[in-house]
Amino acid sequence: SYSHCLNVKRYNLVVIGGGVGGLVTAAGSAGVGAKVALIEANLLGGDCLNVGCVPSKALLKSAKVAHQLATAKEYGIVANEVKVDFPAVMERLRKLRASIAHHDSAERFASLGVDVYLGHGKFKSRNQIEVNGKVLTFARAVVATGGSPNIPAIPGLDKVPTYTNLQVFNLTKLPAVIGVIGTGPIGCELAQAFARFGAKVHVFLRGDSVLRKEEDDAREVVMKAMEKDGIIFHKNIKYKKVELTEDVDEKKGKSFPSIKIVLEKASSQMEVVVNAIVVAAGRKPNVHTADLDKAGIEYDPQEGVKVNDMLQTTNPNVFACGDCASKYQFTHFADFMARLVIRNALFFGSGKASSLLVPWATYTDPEVAHVGEYERDLKKRGVEFDTYKKEFKDNDRSIVDSDTLGYVKILTVKGKDKILGATIVGSHAGDMISELTLAMQSNTGLGKLAGVIHPYPTAAEAIRQCGDLYNKTRLTATTARILRNLLAFRRS
């Protein structure tokens, strides 16, 4: 344990889970004077620091540089043969992760006044948690136990070595042939990265497209980009079985096994042999590790801890945040859920999770970013809307960068400039979406964005140009006729 005082009779707050949700809750609460205990069974920093956002983005950056070098000729640059030093790529990843880790360290949190316990925290009663044989009594508690990879029920998959996000960043050698199960953000990002490093990558789809939660236009752009990187898609398949055909033999220089994936497509059977399987088939909440039942906390194995809009569980003195209690499994949302918990748990706040506007991004190349509602959401609710879209192929900066894949699409209330949702597909979509998120949160209309001066040339000009498209709709036939008559009069 790391602590200034391990003899606290009753904590204001005990937090189970040292990922982003738990860390923000603990630090923020201690910062306002609360006595706080933080319990973590594995590594502080959670998935984001150790096996998620941080290492994956380091990997993607190296992959993007490799791609830029491989395509340098398009820019008039003649580069020598590009060689990927995969061990060096992974060493860089680990060094960068280590350089960030001190922000989430036990020593730092102890210095903030948090009592840090490294062990498994389990509820003993409605107001007590046990860790390492010590019982902590609390006024309030927070469950922030995160999530874990979902392993699909494919015959034989549990009999062969696989890589989820928990293991993939430990690789030191690049498998020659990789099969990817799962076509969400994690699967697509890793598939594209490994393809750019030189692996032959097979991606298996139960349907016919990747990123099924995104809109059709976005999925099409990303899929074409991935195909251009050499990724092989197997669409509309059913998994029959997975089996090991040849094991690792380091003496013969065979660092990875041979694994056969048997598929069914259109009533015919096919086989794909790979050296590694990356499993990125979604995530499930961690709800079975803390004896939640003993505290009267209800949960669902798939949906997570049951919370109300103020993030309060069925035990009114226990709150929950992060991946264990949200359909939005994003680091930034866990952060803002934690901020709500601090106010609601400690200061009689009434902040609501439903009031939070949540943007997100997938870091493929091109990136996909979204905020608000999709067209399908609005159609389902019977809401009439207008669509304004600017392609990057018509954006000067994108043209001179030879980076014209993608677009900005903004949805507004029919006949008005109130923004209901937006999608950006492009190299810097993740950075660009914040302008539209701010506009929505501050109730700034699309028409006003047209009046915001953007530096030229930038990709973000496409947002302003969508505003111009809206303003053009305000020029009615009557107004246009009056203006033409006025100008004719001035010429006379």
Side-chain angles (χ1 to χ4, degrees):
S1 301
Y2 295 77
S3 173
H4 293 290
C5 178
L6 295 178
N7 296 310
V8 177
K9 291 183 179 180
R10 188 167 187 254
Y11 283 98
N12 294 111
L13 194 70
V14 176
V15 182
I16 301 180
V20 170
L23 293 175
V24 172
T25 303
S29 299
V32 295
K35 288 292 185 182
V36 181
L38 172 65
I39 303 170
E40 171 54 46
N42 296 304
L43 295 171
L44 285 169
D47 272 19
C48 181
L49 171 66
N50 297 294
V51 292
C53 317
V54 171
S56 67
K57 300 312 164 278
L59 189 77
L60 293 178
K61 178 61 177 181
S62 292
K64 188 162 189 173
V65 171
H67 176 71
Q68 289 171 333
L69 290 171
T71 58
K73 190 175 180 180
E74 297 177 16
Y75 297 85
I77 308 298
V78 179
N80 294 326
E81 182 182 357
V82 178
K83 181 181 179 182
V84 174
D85 185 346
F86 189 74
V89 167
M90 301 308 286
E91 182 180 359
R92 170 184 177 271
L93 178 157
R94 287 186 280 271
K95 282 182 177 179
L96 294 175
R97 181 173 57 188
S99 72
I100 296 173
H102 69 279
H103 294 296
D104 298 342
S105 68
E107 290 84 357
R108 175 173 177 264
F109 274 76
S111 74
L112 297 175
V114 177
D115 291 347
V116 181
Y117 294 86
L118 301 179
H120 289 275
K122 296 178 181 292
F123 284 94
K124 279 184 68 69
S125 67
R126 294 181 69 87
N127 70 333
Q128 290 183 319
I129 295 171
E130 184 176 5
V131 55
N132 299 338
K134 184 177 178 65
V135 176
L136 311 181
T137 302
F138 60 82
R140 299 286 186 272
V142 177
V143 179
T145 48
S148 54
N150 179 57
I151 307 300
I154 300 172
L157 187 62
D158 59 342
K159 303 291 194 301
V160 301
T162 57
Y163 297 88
T164 68
N165 68 297
L166 301 181
Q167 300 90 20
V168 73
F169 302 113
N170 294 329
L171 282 169
T172 56
K173 296 180 180 179
L174 180 67
V177 186
I178 299 173
V180 179
I181 297 175
T183 56
I186 297 172
C188 289
E189 289 177 6
L190 291 176
Q192 191 172 39
F194 286 128
R196 288 180 166 187
F197 289 139
K200 184 176 182 180
V201 178
H202 296 266
V203 174
F204 306 104
L205 301 88
R206 293 182 189 272
D208 59 5
S209 186
V210 299
L211 301 176
R212 61 183 178 83
K213 292 184 180 180
E214 299 298 339
E215 63 181 33
D216 292 346
D217 290 351
R219 295 203 302 265
E220 182 180 355
V221 172
V222 171
M223 201 161 178
K224 285 182 178 179
M226 293 175 70
E227 287 176 329
K228 192 174 180 180
D229 284 323
I231 294 172
I232 302 167
F233 289 102
H234 302 275
K235 303 177 185 179
N236 300 306
I237 58 92
K238 292 181 180 179
Y239 296 99
K240 301 301 291 182
K241 64 178 179 177
V242 176
E243 60 183 31
L244 183 70
T245 58
E246 190 176 355
D247 212 341
V248 173
D249 190 340
E250 293 287 358
K251 290 183 179 180
K252 295 183 179 179
K254 186 174 177 59
S255 300
F256 295 94
S258 294
I259 302 169
K260 181 169 65 176
I261 303 173
V262 182
L263 309 167
E264 182 181 296
K265 181 176 181 179
S267 299
S268 62
Q269 191 166 290
M270 62 179 293
E271 298 177 356
V272 178
V273 177
V274 301
N275 302 121
I277 296 178
V278 173
V279 179
R283 294 174 61 77
K284 58 185 179 182
N286 293 332
V287 292
H288 297 298
T289 59
D291 288 346
L292 300 177
D293 296 326
K294 293 182 179 179
I297 300 170
E298 295 180 9
Y299 62 88
D300 179 275
Q302 300 301 320
E303 302 296 327
V305 179
K306 293 186 178 181
V307 294
N308 61 21
D309 207 13
M310 294 188 292
L311 302 181
Q312 198 171 30
T313 71
T314 49
N315 178 335
N317 292 324
V318 180
F319 293 73
C321 66
D323 289 3
C324 69
S326 172
K327 66 177 181 178
Y328 297 115
Q329 298 194 342
F330 307 117
T331 295
H332 47 283
F333 191 54
D335 180 329
F336 276 77
M337 290 177 79
R339 295 167 192 243
L340 272 183
V341 165
I342 294 170
R343 296 198 299 272
N344 294 347
L346 299 181
F347 300 108
F348 310 103
S350 57
K352 296 181 178 180
S354 61
S355 68
L356 297 175
L357 180 63
V358 189
W360 58 82
T362 297
Y363 299 95
T364 47
D365 186 11
E367 298 174 359
V368 180
H370 179 81
V371 65
E373 297 191 87
Y374 292 98
E375 292 181 54
R376 61 175 179 268
D377 301 325
L378 298 172
K379 289 177 181 177
K380 188 175 182 179
R381 294 199 297 117
V383 176
E384 292 189 333
F385 62 92
D386 292 320
T387 302
Y388 300 94
K389 185 177 181 180
K390 288 296 293 186
E391 304 269 358
F392 284 125
K393 65 182 178 62
D394 300 318
N395 174 269
D396 289 358
R397 177 58 183 270
S398 300
I399 292 170
V400 298
D401 283 351
S402 296
D403 192 11
T404 55
L405 280 178
Y407 58 86
V408 173
K409 181 189 287 186
I410 301 173
L411 310 178
T412 66
V413 173
K414 183 75 173 177
K416 299 182 179 179
D417 72 344
K418 181 180 175 61
I419 301 173
L420 298 173
T423 297
I424 303 177
V425 182
S427 292
H428 306 288
D431 294 320
M432 291 174 61
I433 199 66
S434 293
E435 180 177 357
L436 290 164
T437 305
L438 176 60
M440 291 181 68
Q441 188 151 319
S442 62
N443 203 27
T444 300
L446 181 57
K448 288 186 178 179
L449 290 184
V452 176
I453 300 176
H454 290 63
Y456 176 88
T458 58
E461 275 193 299
I463 295 175
R464 179 189 59 75
Q465 290 165 346
C466 284
D468 289 339
L469 292 177
Y470 165 76
N471 284 337
K472 286 180 181 178
T473 66
R474 301 174 65 190
L475 187 63
T476 64
T478 300
T479 304
R481 185 171 61 254
I482 292 172
L483 292 176
R484 285 196 299 270
N485 291 339
L486 174 61
L487 291 173
F489 172 76
R490 287 187 170 180
R491 290 195 302 270
S492 59

